[in-house]
């Protein structure tokens, strides 16, 4: 295999710039110059070339920001970052301040990346953080990246998966209130979530993933002592259907026990029923290296598991390590897609 052939088989990763007033541009500059990132994929930014140059300058980073017209033009090169430049950010946009202009631009970066994804022109999307208030101020009323990408890709149902070195968790429900979450949980949704999690683990190279499914109530209901039979009604039928096909799936499990067992290696994936049930343990066990993965899209999507950090934006002090991990996770989960694209 020639060097040119090897390069074409590398996954093409679209990195959206996020909110330009936040730390996204700064961490992108450092992350995409990381030799491990540049050697593993063909990354490019969907964003604003001028803002990336400003982010590089304030950090004292010597880098060439090259504008490209299409994902296929992205080529890794030392000291260079490729960008599909939408030119939406004024040069005087303040760092660290809420801006509808930046909110609208963040939406358009994601929308452009979604167009590339649905056309099969990228193998994964990795998103820098956006600010929900800025997004909403610009008229884009989505709870976050997950729901926005689902709408842009024409997908009715997706799942949020959080991955850390010690535990991975996929959520049956996410950005809804607890009472609404319990109402939404039903065997079909639980089963579809388990299956999306199984596929995500297999895409990541775990051929026979071990999956633990959380209960809703303390102690998994304690045989009817807690709750109103939600486990038997909403969760058990889904677990039994998937397990009957030979998958290593167990539950409903008390959530505190499930996460303990996962942290020591007994499970590859935990299925959480609602937002805080899954997010709390993940953030305790590994937020610094946490990666947010959207499962069920026509393309892999990963993200850092932190926000725009307006308080330190523009100071050059933000850590880029989580973004490096997010890109690496996107690469790991999209190698099969890259091989199919080239074939």
């Amino acid at each position: 295999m020639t060097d040119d052939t090897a390069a074409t088989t590398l996954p093409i990763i679209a990195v959206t710039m996020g909110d330009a007033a936040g730390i996204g541009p700064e961490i992108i500059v450092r992350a995409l110059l990381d030799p491990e990132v540049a050697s593993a994929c063909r990354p490019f930014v969907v964003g604003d070339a001028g803002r990336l140059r400003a982010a590089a300058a304030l950090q004292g980073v010597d880098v060439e920001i090259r504008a490209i017209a299409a994902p296929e033009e992205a080529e890794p090169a030392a000291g260079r970052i490729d960008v599909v430049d939408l030119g939406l950010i004024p040069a005087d946009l303040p760092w660290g301040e809420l801006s509808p202009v930046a909110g609208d631009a963040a939406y358009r970066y994601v929308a452009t990346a979604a167009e590339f994804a649905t056309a099969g022109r990228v193998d994964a999307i990795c998103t820098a953080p956006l600010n929900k208030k800025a997004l909403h101020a610009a008229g884009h009323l989505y709870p976050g990246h997950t729901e926005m990408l689902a709408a842009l890709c024409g997908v009715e149902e997706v799942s949020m998966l959080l991955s850390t070195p010690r535990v991975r968790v996929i959520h049956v429900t996410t950005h809804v209130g607890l009472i609404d979450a319990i109402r939404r949980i039903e065997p079909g949704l639980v089963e579809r979530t388990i299956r999306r999690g199984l596929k995500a683990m297999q895409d990541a190279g775990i051929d026979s993933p071990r999956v633990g499914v959380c209960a809703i109530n303390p102690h998994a209901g304690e045989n009817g002592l807690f709750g109103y039979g939600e486990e038997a009604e909403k969760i058990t039928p889904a677990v039994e259907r998937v397990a009957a096909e030979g998958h290593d799936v167990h539950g409903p499990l008390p959530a505190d026990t499930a996460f303990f067992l996962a942290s020591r290696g007994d499970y590859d994936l935990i299925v959480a029923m609602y937002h805080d049930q899954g997010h709390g343990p993940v953030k305790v066990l590994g937020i610094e290296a946490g990666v947010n993965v959207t499962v069920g899209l026509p393309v892999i999507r990963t993200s850092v598991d932190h926000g725009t950090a307006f308080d330190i934006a523009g100071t050059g002090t933000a850590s880029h390590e989580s973004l490096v991990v997010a890109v690496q996770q996107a690469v790991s989960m999209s190698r099969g897609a890259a091989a199919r694209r080239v074939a």
Side-chain angles (χ1 to χ4, degrees):
M1 182 182 292
T2 66
D3 289 343
D4 288 343
T5 302
T8 60
T9 62
L10 293 175
I12 300 176
I13 311 294
V15 181
T16 59
M17 200 174 76
D19 192 300
I23 62 174
E26 298 168 64
I27 63 175
I28 284 173
V29 166
R30 290 198 173 274
L32 294 197
L33 291 178
D34 187 296
E36 292 187 10
V37 169
S39 64
C41 61
R42 296 165 61 191
F44 71 97
V45 182
V46 182
D48 188 283
R51 196 62 167 183
L52 291 174
R53 293 188 184 104
L58 68 85
Q59 296 177 98
V61 175
D62 184 17
V63 59
E64 176 191 357
I65 305 296
R66 183 180 75 144
I68 60 174
E72 295 79 9
E73 298 176 17
E75 294 293 343
R80 187 181 77 200
I81 295 174
D82 290 338
V83 55
V84 171
D85 183 12
L86 301 192
L88 300 173
I89 302 301
D92 61 351
L93 181 79
W95 296 97
E97 296 183 15
L98 186 74
S99 165
V101 172
D104 181 63
Y107 169 81
R108 298 188 187 281
Y109 302 151
V110 176
T112 300
E115 289 179 9
F116 293 148
T118 54
R121 300 174 68 187
V122 300
D123 302 306
I125 297 171
C126 182
T127 58
L130 54 73
N131 184 281
K132 294 182 180 66
K133 288 185 179 179
L135 186 71
H136 292 179
H140 306 295
L141 304 180
Y142 296 95
H145 269 119
T146 301
E147 296 83 0
M148 187 195 310
L149 277 162
L152 290 167
C153 292
V155 176
E156 292 186 3
E157 189 175 279
V158 296
S159 297
M160 178 187 292
L161 188 153
L162 301 180
S163 177
T164 77
R166 292 183 64 185
V167 66
R168 304 177 190 90
V169 56
I170 190 169
H171 295 71
V172 174
T173 66
T174 49
H175 294 130
V176 294
L178 183 55
I179 292 174
D180 292 330
I182 294 171
R183 287 177 180 149
R184 289 189 186 187
I185 297 167
E186 50 85 20
L189 177 58
V190 174
E191 180 179 348
R192 294 191 297 275
T193 304
I194 295 171
R195 293 188 187 280
R196 281 191 286 268
L198 286 167
K199 184 179 184 302
M201 293 299 94
Q202 291 163 349
D203 287 345
I206 303 172
D207 293 333
S208 300
R210 299 159 298 168
V211 179
V213 181
C214 287
I216 295 172
N217 294 301
H219 304 290
E222 195 78 66
N223 297 315
L225 183 61
F226 305 119
Y228 299 92
E230 289 88 353
E231 280 69 31
E233 175 190 347
K234 296 172 175 285
I235 302 172
T236 299
V239 173
E240 290 179 345
R241 280 197 292 267
V242 179
E245 298 174 3
H247 296 291
D248 193 356
V249 179
H250 303 271
L253 305 171
D256 52 358
T257 303
F259 282 100
F260 165 72
L261 295 174
S263 71
R264 75 178 189 185
D266 290 12
Y267 292 111
D268 300 300
L269 178 69
I270 293 296
V271 179
M273 291 297 118
Y274 52 89
H275 185 282
D276 285 9
Q277 187 181 63
H279 277 60
V282 164
K283 292 190 175 184
V284 169
L285 293 173
I287 188 173
E288 297 85 358
V291 177
N292 185 327
V293 183
T294 304
V295 181
L297 294 170
V299 67
I300 296 297
R301 177 259 172 170
T302 66
S303 177
V304 294
D305 194 29
H306 62 69
T308 49
F310 277 177
D311 57 326
I312 60 170
T315 66
T317 59
S319 171
H320 64 286
E321 292 303 318
S322 184
L323 184 58
V324 170
V325 175
V327 175
Q328 290 173 332
Q329 184 75 54
V331 171
S332 174
M333 298 183 72
S334 62
R335 286 196 177 101
R340 290 190 294 271
R341 172 177 47 77
V342 173

